Amino acid sequence: MTGMEQSHGALAQRMKLTLDEEQLTNCMRCGFCQMACPTFLETGLEAASPRGRIALMKAVVDGIMEPDESFQSQMDLCLGCRACEPACPSDVKYGQLIEQTREAIVKEKKFSVPVKLVRKTFLQGIFPHKGRLKFMGKSLKFYQKSGLQKFARSSGAMKMFPEHLRQLEKVVPTVTGDGLTDLWKKAGFPLRTEKTSSGSDLLIIPAVGEKVSRVGMFRGCIMDVMFAETNVNTVRLLRQAGFEVAIPDSQVCCGALHAHASEMEDARDLAGQNLIAFKEAGVDYIVSNAGGCGALLKEYDHLMKDAADAGQQADARQFAGQLKDISELLQDIGRPLIPLEDKSDETAPVKVTYQDSCHLRNVMRVQGQPRELIHQMQGVSLCELQGSEVCCGSAGIYNMTQPQMSMDLLDHKMDHVKDTRAEVVITSNPGCLLQMKWGIERAGVQDHVEAVHLVDFLTERVRLYDKDQDD
């Protein structure tokens, strides 16, 4: 038996032990998932559809086929957008199956030394550590402000990188180097600090007016490095809607990037730390402003279902039940936001469109609330985007690992954006936001179209009171 055959045999055996057999057999092969699947729509291949991939998984588990390179390529081609799940009449948990398959593949795969180094550096060395994330933010700020960025572009140094990475570098936002708590303190906004039962800091930001409830702010890792001002605006909106906001200092990365990379044990370790941090905070709700993070946070109960500690399993179920997207809290639970009056009678309304975050729509099942909030703003006209439910091609790290498919999806998305004639593309996830900025750049429409996060769009258009004396 060759080394490759041994490797395939080991992977097949691991898949037999890992995959949920009930979910594998639940698929009725009806095909409803196909028209919801971006990779099937792009390729027209049965193997590139959810039911096709499930058939491949089952064939491996049943010993009918080997999990060879073509099998693994099809698993890698899946975006993990999970648009197939709402479309499935049998409620097949496809997301769990692809997650289990990829985890088995990663455990048996022999990565090259450079790939191992990159994975270890970012997944274990940076993202789980708040101090290192902050250093990364400061370093990115220095790169952007010191002239290094301008030199890298003008000298041709960027040509050492693949084309898709060069394009992505162009749309990385200007960072402050500070996170949410640093920016909040520098602004002089009201806050107080408490100690949790374990001795860690808990930042408490009071509601404006009468308190509706207490919400724990999940600040994220990428969000707090590259989109810290969006985090600040999230807290400002929550306060205005009547929420007292608690920010546990001991919270860590949600683990979504680790899950995307099939490093599930690392994701579970991070989840365990977050369960403790937010339990100690004593909150009624936990808020996310990033669809990708929110989806994993919402499924902490599934992620931790095999935890040895029954108490941890119970904490995970409670956490998942408390998790809400920012749009859910603002639209369904908090006091209504007060839109600023539109005094420009002679100016046509700003035309906007909304691109759904896949995980927000398909996992958290949130799609109406963002649109309702946009409709409430004065001087704004929302034009629905054809195919807004189809993935933009960001999908965590997908635009790095599958650049061609990612760009094909993005280019088609931008064709639909042009059809709306929108001036603003709104979305609710940092990965989607970067991807849409990238699409705007690729389409050459950056002079009259911009992409913004829903939170930042709302912040510019509602009445906010930030200082104690204004409350």
Side-chain angles (χ1 to χ4, degrees):
M1 184 180 291
T2 67
M4 184 169 291
E5 288 172 336
Q6 289 178 335
S7 175
H8 291 164
L11 175 54
Q13 186 59 34
R14 186 176 288 277
M15 286 178 61
K16 288 178 185 179
L17 297 173
T18 304
L19 265 66
D20 187 327
E21 190 172 351
E22 181 181 349
Q23 291 301 324
L24 275 178
T25 55
N26 273 351
C27 177
M28 300 187 304
R29 299 190 56 77
C30 64
F32 281 105
C33 61
Q34 289 184 319
M35 299 314 293
C37 176
T39 54
F40 175 79
L41 293 175
E42 283 293 322
T43 66
L45 298 175
E46 172 69 14
S49 71
R51 79 171 183 182
R53 291 190 180 100
I54 290 175
L56 292 174
M57 296 172 196
K58 193 171 188 306
V60 170
V61 170
D62 292 344
I64 298 172
M65 69 172 286
E66 289 187 348
D68 56 15
E69 293 304 314
S70 63
F71 168 85
Q72 294 180 39
S73 294
Q74 274 302 344
M75 299 303 116
D76 289 341
L77 190 64
C78 174
L79 289 139
C81 69
R82 296 172 65 173
C84 51
E85 292 187 14
C88 179
S90 299
D91 194 30
V92 175
K93 305 299 184 188
Y94 173 82
Q96 295 177 17
L97 289 173
I98 193 70
E99 169 191 295
Q100 292 161 358
T101 300
R102 286 172 166 173
E103 183 178 9
I105 290 171
V106 164
K107 287 195 173 183
E108 296 297 334
K109 193 166 188 176
K110 291 180 172 57
F111 292 106
S112 66
V113 172
V115 171
K116 281 183 181 178
L117 182 61
V118 170
R119 289 173 70 93
K120 187 173 181 62
T121 298
F122 285 95
L123 296 179
Q124 282 87 41
I126 295 179
F127 289 120
H129 305 283
K130 185 179 67 174
R132 296 173 191 176
L133 279 167
K134 191 170 184 178
F135 176 77
M136 187 174 76
K138 296 287 187 185
S139 299
L140 184 54
K141 178 184 178 181
F142 177 77
Y143 168 73
Q144 291 176 332
K145 299 291 187 182
S146 66
L148 278 176
Q149 184 179 54
K150 187 177 293 185
F151 174 77
R153 292 176 178 178
S154 61
S155 67
M158 291 302 299
K159 291 181 180 178
M160 293 187 297
F161 297 94
E163 173 65 20
H164 67 283
L165 291 182
R166 298 202 298 271
Q167 291 181 1
L168 183 58
E169 189 270 346
K170 290 181 181 178
V171 298
V172 170
T174 302
V175 301
T176 64
D178 291 318
L180 163 60
T181 54
D182 296 321
L183 292 176
W184 194 267
K185 291 173 182 177
K186 287 181 179 180
F189 294 157
L191 59 89
R192 69 179 189 274
T193 301
E194 298 178 357
K195 290 289 184 182
T196 67
S197 58
S198 64
S200 62
D201 286 342
L202 183 65
L203 188 69
I204 305 295
I205 299 170
V208 172
E210 184 178 354
K211 184 175 82 172
V212 172
S213 66
R214 187 179 199 179
V215 61
M217 171 73 187
F218 188 82
R219 64 189 172 211
C221 48
I222 297 297
M223 281 299 299
D224 217 38
V225 169
M226 297 176 66
F227 301 97
E229 291 179 351
T230 303
N231 274 352
V232 169
N233 288 337
T234 298
V235 176
R236 295 175 71 198
L237 292 173
L238 287 168
R239 292 189 68 227
Q240 193 64 41
F243 295 100
E244 178 182 77
V245 181
I247 308 174
D249 188 58
S250 57
Q251 65 178 289
V252 293
C253 171
C254 68
L257 290 174
H258 300 78
H260 283 305
S262 301
E263 298 287 353
M264 302 308 296
E265 286 305 317
D266 289 340
R268 293 181 188 105
D269 288 343
L270 293 168
Q273 295 178 61
N274 284 325
L275 293 178
I276 295 170
F278 283 92
K279 184 177 182 179
E280 290 184 338
V283 297
D284 304 304
Y285 303 101
I286 300 164
V287 66
S288 168
N289 57 13
C293 296
L296 187 74
L297 296 169
K298 191 71 174 177
E299 294 192 331
Y300 265 9
D301 53 343
H302 166 67
L303 183 67
M304 306 300 286
K305 67 182 175 61
D306 295 323
D309 184 352
Q312 192 174 54
Q313 293 180 29
D315 290 344
R317 289 192 294 272
Q318 178 177 334
F319 185 104
Q322 291 176 314
L323 197 282
K324 299 285 185 184
D325 181 66
I326 175 67
S327 63
E328 292 180 279
L329 289 175
L330 295 178
Q331 180 62 27
D332 300 340
I333 299 171
R335 289 196 304 268
L337 298 174
I338 303 172
L340 293 172
E341 184 180 351
D342 180 28
K343 298 180 180 179
S344 52
D345 295 333
E346 298 179 1
T347 305
V350 176
K351 187 174 285 189
V352 307
T353 193
Y354 180 74
Q355 166 62 26
D356 286 279
S357 156
C358 293
H359 287 110
L360 183 60
R361 182 185 181 107
N362 301 325
V363 182
M364 298 183 71
R365 304 298 172 95
V366 174
Q367 54 180 302
Q369 292 91 335
R371 291 171 168 84
E372 290 163 1
L373 288 165
I374 294 169
H375 274 302
Q376 291 165 19
M377 299 301 103
Q378 296 192 22
V380 174
S381 173
L382 175 62
C383 181
E384 279 296 334
L385 177 65
Q386 181 183 342
S388 64
E389 75 284 0
V390 178
C391 184
C392 63
S394 173
I397 58 174
Y398 189 89
N399 54 12
M400 303 292 181
T401 60
Q402 299 285 336
Q404 186 58 57
M405 179 61 74
S406 176
M407 291 303 96
D408 289 345
L409 290 167
L410 180 58
D411 290 343
H412 291 157
K413 181 71 62 181
M414 289 310 303
D415 289 340
H416 294 315
V417 169
K418 290 176 184 176
D419 290 342
T420 67
R421 300 185 182 277
E423 303 163 64
V424 182
V425 180
I426 302 172
T427 189
S428 302
N429 184 57
C432 302
L433 180 58
L434 279 177
Q435 186 83 343
M436 296 312 298
K437 286 178 178 289
W438 191 350
I440 289 168
E441 182 82 17
R442 280 175 64 86
V445 295
Q446 61 269 30
D447 59 333
H448 60 276
V449 182
E450 63 174 331
V452 301
H453 194 288
L454 173 67
V455 163
D456 299 322
F457 182 82
L458 295 176
T459 300
E460 292 183 355
R461 289 167 174 80
V462 300
R463 189 175 301 166
L464 294 172
Y465 299 94
D466 291 315
K467 300 295 180 68
D468 279 327
Q469 61 267 29
D470 293 330
D471 288 353

Short mmCIF file of all heavy atoms in Angstrom, two decimals, residues 372-418:
data_model
loop_
_atom_site.label_atom_id
_atom_site.label_comp_id
_atom_site.label_asym_id
_atom_site.label_seq_id
_atom_site.Cartn_x
_atom_site.Cartn_y
_atom_site.Cartn_z
N GLU A 372 -35.46 46.94 7.98
CA GLU A 372 -36.42 47.80 8.67
C GLU A 372 -35.74 49.02 9.27
O GLU A 372 -36.28 50.14 9.22
CB GLU A 372 -37.13 46.99 9.76
CG GLU A 372 -38.09 45.94 9.19
CD GLU A 372 -38.47 44.87 10.21
OE1 GLU A 372 -38.01 44.95 11.36
OE2 GLU A 372 -39.22 43.95 9.84
N LEU A 373 -34.56 48.84 9.83
CA LEU A 373 -33.82 49.97 10.39
C LEU A 373 -33.43 50.97 9.29
O LEU A 373 -33.52 52.19 9.49
CB LEU A 373 -32.57 49.46 11.12
CG LEU A 373 -32.82 48.74 12.44
CD1 LEU A 373 -31.57 47.98 12.88
CD2 LEU A 373 -33.25 49.72 13.53
N ILE A 374 -33.01 50.46 8.15
CA ILE A 374 -32.64 51.34 7.03
C ILE A 374 -33.86 52.12 6.56
O ILE A 374 -33.80 53.34 6.32
CB ILE A 374 -32.04 50.53 5.88
CG1 ILE A 374 -30.70 49.91 6.30
CG2 ILE A 374 -31.83 51.41 4.64
CD1 ILE A 374 -30.16 48.87 5.33
N HIS A 375 -35.01 51.45 6.45
CA HIS A 375 -36.24 52.11 6.00
C HIS A 375 -36.65 53.26 6.93
O HIS A 375 -37.28 54.22 6.49
CB HIS A 375 -37.38 51.09 5.93
CG HIS A 375 -37.44 50.33 4.63
ND1 HIS A 375 -37.57 50.95 3.40
CD2 HIS A 375 -37.40 48.99 4.38
CE1 HIS A 375 -37.60 50.03 2.44
NE2 HIS A 375 -37.49 48.84 3.01
N GLN A 376 -36.30 53.16 8.21
CA GLN A 376 -36.71 54.19 9.18
C GLN A 376 -35.89 55.47 9.06
O GLN A 376 -36.28 56.51 9.60
CB GLN A 376 -36.56 53.63 10.60
CG GLN A 376 -37.57 52.53 10.92
CD GLN A 376 -37.19 51.75 12.16
OE1 GLN A 376 -36.39 52.22 12.99
NE2 GLN A 376 -37.73 50.55 12.31
N MET A 377 -34.77 55.43 8.37
CA MET A 377 -33.93 56.60 8.24
C MET A 377 -34.52 57.57 7.20
O MET A 377 -35.01 57.14 6.15
CB MET A 377 -32.51 56.21 7.82
CG MET A 377 -31.79 55.30 8.81
SD MET A 377 -31.60 56.01 10.47
CE MET A 377 -32.88 55.12 11.39
N GLN A 378 -34.46 58.85 7.51
CA GLN A 378 -35.01 59.86 6.60
C GLN A 378 -34.00 60.18 5.50
O GLN A 378 -32.79 60.15 5.70
CB GLN A 378 -35.38 61.13 7.38
CG GLN A 378 -36.48 60.89 8.39
CD GLN A 378 -37.04 62.19 8.95
OE1 GLN A 378 -36.92 63.25 8.34
NE2 GLN A 378 -37.68 62.11 10.10
N GLY A 379 -34.54 60.50 4.33
CA GLY A 379 -33.69 60.86 3.20
C GLY A 379 -32.94 59.69 2.61
O GLY A 379 -31.88 59.87 1.98
N VAL A 380 -33.46 58.47 2.80
CA VAL A 380 -32.79 57.26 2.32
C VAL A 380 -33.79 56.42 1.54
O VAL A 380 -34.93 56.23 1.95
CB VAL A 380 -32.24 56.43 3.50
CG1 VAL A 380 -31.68 55.10 3.01
CG2 VAL A 380 -31.16 57.21 4.24
N SER A 381 -33.36 55.92 0.39
CA SER A 381 -34.18 55.03 -0.42
C SER A 381 -33.47 53.70 -0.56
O SER A 381 -32.36 53.63 -1.07
CB SER A 381 -34.42 55.64 -1.82
OG SER A 381 -35.08 54.72 -2.66
N LEU A 382 -34.11 52.61 -0.05
CA LEU A 382 -33.52 51.28 -0.11
C LEU A 382 -33.98 50.56 -1.36
O LEU A 382 -35.17 50.36 -1.57
CB LEU A 382 -33.91 50.48 1.13
CG LEU A 382 -33.45 49.01 1.16
CD1 LEU A 382 -31.93 48.91 1.12
CD2 LEU A 382 -34.01 48.29 2.39
N CYS A 383 -33.01 50.17 -2.18
CA CYS A 383 -33.30 49.41 -3.40
C CYS A 383 -32.79 47.99 -3.19
O CYS A 383 -31.60 47.79 -2.94
CB CYS A 383 -32.61 50.06 -4.60
SG CYS A 383 -32.92 49.21 -6.17
N GLU A 384 -33.68 47.00 -3.26
CA GLU A 384 -33.28 45.62 -3.02
C GLU A 384 -32.27 45.15 -4.08
O GLU A 384 -32.42 45.44 -5.26
CB GLU A 384 -34.48 44.70 -3.00
CG GLU A 384 -35.24 44.70 -1.68
CD GLU A 384 -34.42 44.16 -0.51
OE1 GLU A 384 -33.50 43.35 -0.74
OE2 GLU A 384 -34.70 44.56 0.64
N LEU A 385 -31.28 44.40 -3.60
CA LEU A 385 -30.21 43.89 -4.43
C LEU A 385 -30.59 42.49 -4.92
O LEU A 385 -30.83 41.59 -4.11
CB LEU A 385 -28.91 43.83 -3.64
CG LEU A 385 -27.68 43.25 -4.32
CD1 LEU A 385 -27.25 44.12 -5.49
CD2 LEU A 385 -26.53 43.12 -3.31
N GLN A 386 -30.66 42.31 -6.23
CA GLN A 386 -30.93 40.98 -6.76
C GLN A 386 -29.83 40.01 -6.31
O GLN A 386 -28.64 40.28 -6.45
CB GLN A 386 -30.98 41.00 -8.29
CG GLN A 386 -31.29 39.64 -8.91
CD GLN A 386 -31.27 39.68 -10.43
OE1 GLN A 386 -31.35 40.75 -11.03
NE2 GLN A 386 -31.15 38.52 -11.05
N GLY A 387 -30.23 38.88 -5.74
CA GLY A 387 -29.25 37.92 -5.26
C GLY A 387 -28.54 38.34 -3.99
O GLY A 387 -27.44 37.87 -3.71
N SER A 388 -29.18 39.19 -3.19
CA SER A 388 -28.55 39.63 -1.94
C SER A 388 -28.32 38.45 -1.00
O SER A 388 -27.48 38.51 -0.10
CB SER A 388 -29.40 40.69 -1.24
OG SER A 388 -30.65 40.16 -0.84
N GLU A 389 -29.10 37.36 -1.20
CA GLU A 389 -28.95 36.19 -0.35
C GLU A 389 -27.79 35.29 -0.79
O GLU A 389 -27.43 34.33 -0.10
CB GLU A 389 -30.25 35.37 -0.36
CG GLU A 389 -30.52 34.56 -1.62
CD GLU A 389 -31.01 35.38 -2.81
OE1 GLU A 389 -31.16 36.60 -2.68
OE2 GLU A 389 -31.26 34.78 -3.88
N VAL A 390 -27.18 35.59 -1.94
CA VAL A 390 -26.07 34.78 -2.45
C VAL A 390 -24.76 35.33 -1.90
O VAL A 390 -24.53 36.54 -1.87
CB VAL A 390 -26.04 34.80 -4.00
CG1 VAL A 390 -24.84 34.00 -4.51
CG2 VAL A 390 -27.34 34.23 -4.56
N CYS A 391 -23.88 34.44 -1.49
CA CYS A 391 -22.60 34.84 -0.88
C CYS A 391 -21.80 35.75 -1.80
O CYS A 391 -21.76 35.55 -3.02
CB CYS A 391 -21.79 33.58 -0.56
SG CYS A 391 -20.24 33.91 0.31
N CYS A 392 -21.13 36.74 -1.20
CA CYS A 392 -20.29 37.66 -1.96
C CYS A 392 -18.92 37.08 -2.26
O CYS A 392 -18.15 37.66 -3.02
CB CYS A 392 -20.14 38.98 -1.20
SG CYS A 392 -19.28 38.82 0.38
N GLY A 393 -18.60 35.94 -1.63
CA GLY A 393 -17.30 35.30 -1.88
C GLY A 393 -16.27 35.54 -0.80
O GLY A 393 -15.14 35.06 -0.92
N SER A 394 -16.64 36.24 0.26
CA SER A 394 -15.69 36.48 1.35
C SER A 394 -15.53 35.21 2.18
O SER A 394 -14.47 34.61 2.21
CB SER A 394 -16.16 37.64 2.22
OG SER A 394 -15.33 37.77 3.35
N ALA A 395 -16.60 34.82 2.89
CA ALA A 395 -16.67 33.51 3.57
C ALA A 395 -15.47 33.24 4.46
O ALA A 395 -14.77 32.23 4.29
CB ALA A 395 -16.87 32.40 2.55
N GLY A 396 -15.20 34.12 5.40
CA GLY A 396 -14.07 33.92 6.30
C GLY A 396 -12.75 34.11 5.59
O GLY A 396 -12.40 35.21 5.18
N ILE A 397 -12.01 33.03 5.39
CA ILE A 397 -10.71 33.10 4.69
C ILE A 397 -10.82 32.53 3.27
O ILE A 397 -9.81 32.30 2.62
CB ILE A 397 -9.62 32.34 5.48
CG1 ILE A 397 -10.02 30.87 5.69
CG2 ILE A 397 -9.35 33.02 6.81
CD1 ILE A 397 -8.94 30.02 6.33
N TYR A 398 -12.06 32.35 2.78
CA TYR A 398 -12.27 31.74 1.47
C TYR A 398 -11.63 32.55 0.35
O TYR A 398 -11.09 31.99 -0.60
CB TYR A 398 -13.77 31.60 1.22
CG TYR A 398 -14.17 30.79 0.00
CD1 TYR A 398 -14.36 29.42 0.10
CD2 TYR A 398 -14.39 31.40 -1.23
CE1 TYR A 398 -14.76 28.66 -0.99
CE2 TYR A 398 -14.77 30.66 -2.34
CZ TYR A 398 -14.95 29.29 -2.22
OH TYR A 398 -15.34 28.55 -3.31
N ASN A 399 -11.70 33.89 0.47
CA ASN A 399 -11.13 34.71 -0.61
C ASN A 399 -9.60 34.60 -0.67
O ASN A 399 -8.98 35.04 -1.64
CB ASN A 399 -11.58 36.17 -0.52
CG ASN A 399 -11.31 36.80 0.83
OD1 ASN A 399 -10.60 36.24 1.66
ND2 ASN A 399 -11.91 37.96 1.07
N MET A 400 -9.00 34.02 0.37
CA MET A 400 -7.56 33.74 0.35
C MET A 400 -7.28 32.34 -0.20
O MET A 400 -6.32 32.13 -0.94
CB MET A 400 -6.98 33.83 1.77
CG MET A 400 -7.22 35.15 2.45
SD MET A 400 -6.30 36.48 1.66
CE MET A 400 -6.77 37.84 2.71
N THR A 401 -8.12 31.38 0.18
CA THR A 401 -7.85 29.99 -0.18
C THR A 401 -8.44 29.59 -1.53
O THR A 401 -7.95 28.66 -2.18
CB THR A 401 -8.41 29.04 0.90
OG1 THR A 401 -9.83 29.23 1.02
CG2 THR A 401 -7.76 29.32 2.25
N GLN A 402 -9.51 30.28 -1.96
CA GLN A 402 -10.16 29.98 -3.24
C GLN A 402 -10.38 31.29 -4.01
O GLN A 402 -11.51 31.71 -4.26
CB GLN A 402 -11.51 29.29 -3.00
CG GLN A 402 -11.43 27.97 -2.26
CD GLN A 402 -10.91 26.85 -3.14
OE1 GLN A 402 -11.00 26.89 -4.37
NE2 GLN A 402 -10.34 25.83 -2.52
N PRO A 403 -9.30 31.97 -4.39
CA PRO A 403 -9.43 33.32 -4.96
C PRO A 403 -10.23 33.36 -6.26
O PRO A 403 -10.98 34.31 -6.49
CB PRO A 403 -7.99 33.78 -5.17
CG PRO A 403 -7.17 32.53 -5.17
CD PRO A 403 -7.87 31.59 -4.26
N GLN A 404 -10.11 32.35 -7.11
CA GLN A 404 -10.80 32.41 -8.40
C GLN A 404 -12.32 32.35 -8.22
O GLN A 404 -13.06 33.16 -8.78
CB GLN A 404 -10.34 31.27 -9.30
CG GLN A 404 -10.92 31.35 -10.72
CD GLN A 404 -10.57 32.65 -11.43
OE1 GLN A 404 -9.41 32.98 -11.57
NE2 GLN A 404 -11.59 33.41 -11.86
N MET A 405 -12.81 31.37 -7.46
CA MET A 405 -14.24 31.28 -7.22
C MET A 405 -14.75 32.51 -6.47
O MET A 405 -15.82 33.04 -6.76
CB MET A 405 -14.57 30.01 -6.43
CG MET A 405 -16.06 29.85 -6.11
SD MET A 405 -17.13 29.74 -7.56
CE MET A 405 -16.76 28.08 -8.12
N SER A 406 -13.96 32.97 -5.52
CA SER A 406 -14.35 34.16 -4.75
C SER A 406 -14.52 35.36 -5.66
O SER A 406 -15.50 36.12 -5.55
CB SER A 406 -13.28 34.46 -3.69
OG SER A 406 -13.58 35.66 -3.00
N MET A 407 -13.59 35.56 -6.59
CA MET A 407 -13.67 36.70 -7.49
C MET A 407 -14.81 36.55 -8.51
O MET A 407 -15.46 37.53 -8.88
CB MET A 407 -12.34 36.89 -8.21
CG MET A 407 -11.20 37.36 -7.31
SD MET A 407 -11.55 38.93 -6.45
CE MET A 407 -12.14 38.32 -4.85
N ASP A 408 -15.07 35.33 -8.95
CA ASP A 408 -16.20 35.11 -9.87
C ASP A 408 -17.51 35.51 -9.18
O ASP A 408 -18.35 36.20 -9.79
CB ASP A 408 -16.27 33.63 -10.29
CG ASP A 408 -15.13 33.24 -11.22
OD1 ASP A 408 -14.46 34.14 -11.76
OD2 ASP A 408 -14.91 32.02 -11.40
N LEU A 409 -17.68 35.11 -7.94
CA LEU A 409 -18.89 35.45 -7.20
C LEU A 409 -18.98 36.96 -6.98
O LEU A 409 -20.04 37.57 -7.10
CB LEU A 409 -18.90 34.73 -5.85
CG LEU A 409 -19.10 33.22 -5.90
CD1 LEU A 409 -18.78 32.58 -4.54
CD2 LEU A 409 -20.53 32.89 -6.31
N LEU A 410 -17.84 37.56 -6.65
CA LEU A 410 -17.82 39.00 -6.38
C LEU A 410 -18.14 39.81 -7.64
O LEU A 410 -18.91 40.79 -7.58
CB LEU A 410 -16.46 39.40 -5.82
CG LEU A 410 -16.27 40.88 -5.48
CD1 LEU A 410 -17.31 41.36 -4.47
CD2 LEU A 410 -14.86 41.13 -4.96
N ASP A 411 -17.58 39.42 -8.77
CA ASP A 411 -17.84 40.16 -10.01
C ASP A 411 -19.31 40.08 -10.40
O ASP A 411 -19.89 41.08 -10.85
CB ASP A 411 -16.95 39.61 -11.13
CG ASP A 411 -15.48 39.96 -10.93
OD1 ASP A 411 -15.19 40.86 -10.13
OD2 ASP A 411 -14.63 39.31 -11.56
N HIS A 412 -19.93 38.92 -10.22
CA HIS A 412 -21.36 38.81 -10.50
C HIS A 412 -22.17 39.65 -9.51
O HIS A 412 -23.18 40.26 -9.88
CB HIS A 412 -21.80 37.35 -10.41
CG HIS A 412 -21.26 36.51 -11.52
ND1 HIS A 412 -21.12 35.15 -11.44
CD2 HIS A 412 -20.79 36.84 -12.77
CE1 HIS A 412 -20.61 34.68 -12.58
NE2 HIS A 412 -20.39 35.70 -13.38
N LYS A 413 -21.71 39.68 -8.27
CA LYS A 413 -22.39 40.51 -7.26
C LYS A 413 -22.35 41.98 -7.67
O LYS A 413 -23.35 42.70 -7.55
CB LYS A 413 -21.71 40.30 -5.91
CG LYS A 413 -22.32 41.09 -4.75
CD LYS A 413 -23.65 40.56 -4.35
CE LYS A 413 -23.59 39.14 -3.86
NZ LYS A 413 -24.92 38.62 -3.49
N MET A 414 -21.22 42.43 -8.16
CA MET A 414 -21.09 43.83 -8.53
C MET A 414 -21.94 44.18 -9.75
O MET A 414 -22.41 45.32 -9.89
CB MET A 414 -19.63 44.18 -8.79
CG MET A 414 -18.77 44.21 -7.53
SD MET A 414 -19.47 45.19 -6.18
CE MET A 414 -19.65 46.79 -6.96
N ASP A 415 -22.19 43.22 -10.63
CA ASP A 415 -23.11 43.46 -11.74
C ASP A 415 -24.49 43.81 -11.20
O ASP A 415 -25.16 44.73 -11.70
CB ASP A 415 -23.20 42.22 -12.64
CG ASP A 415 -21.94 41.99 -13.46
OD1 ASP A 415 -21.17 42.95 -13.63
OD2 ASP A 415 -21.74 40.84 -13.90
N HIS A 416 -24.92 43.11 -10.17
CA HIS A 416 -26.23 43.38 -9.56
C HIS A 416 -26.23 44.71 -8.80
O HIS A 416 -27.23 45.43 -8.79
CB HIS A 416 -26.63 42.24 -8.63
CG HIS A 416 -26.86 40.93 -9.34
ND1 HIS A 416 -27.60 40.84 -10.50
CD2 HIS A 416 -26.45 39.67 -9.05
CE1 HIS A 416 -27.64 39.58 -10.90
NE2 HIS A 416 -26.94 38.86 -10.04
N VAL A 417 -25.10 45.02 -8.17
CA VAL A 417 -24.99 46.31 -7.47
C VAL A 417 -25.14 47.47 -8.47
O VAL A 417 -25.86 48.44 -8.21
CB VAL A 417 -23.65 46.42 -6.72
CG1 VAL A 417 -23.41 47.85 -6.23
CG2 VAL A 417 -23.62 45.46 -5.53
N LYS A 418 -24.50 47.34 -9.61
CA LYS A 418 -24.62 48.38 -10.64
C LYS A 418 -26.06 48.55 -11.09
O LYS A 418 -26.51 49.68 -11.35
CB LYS A 418 -23.73 48.05 -11.83
CG LYS A 418 -22.23 48.15 -11.56
CD LYS A 418 -21.44 47.69 -12.78
CE LYS A 418 -19.96 47.67 -12.53
NZ LYS A 418 -19.19 47.15 -13.69
#
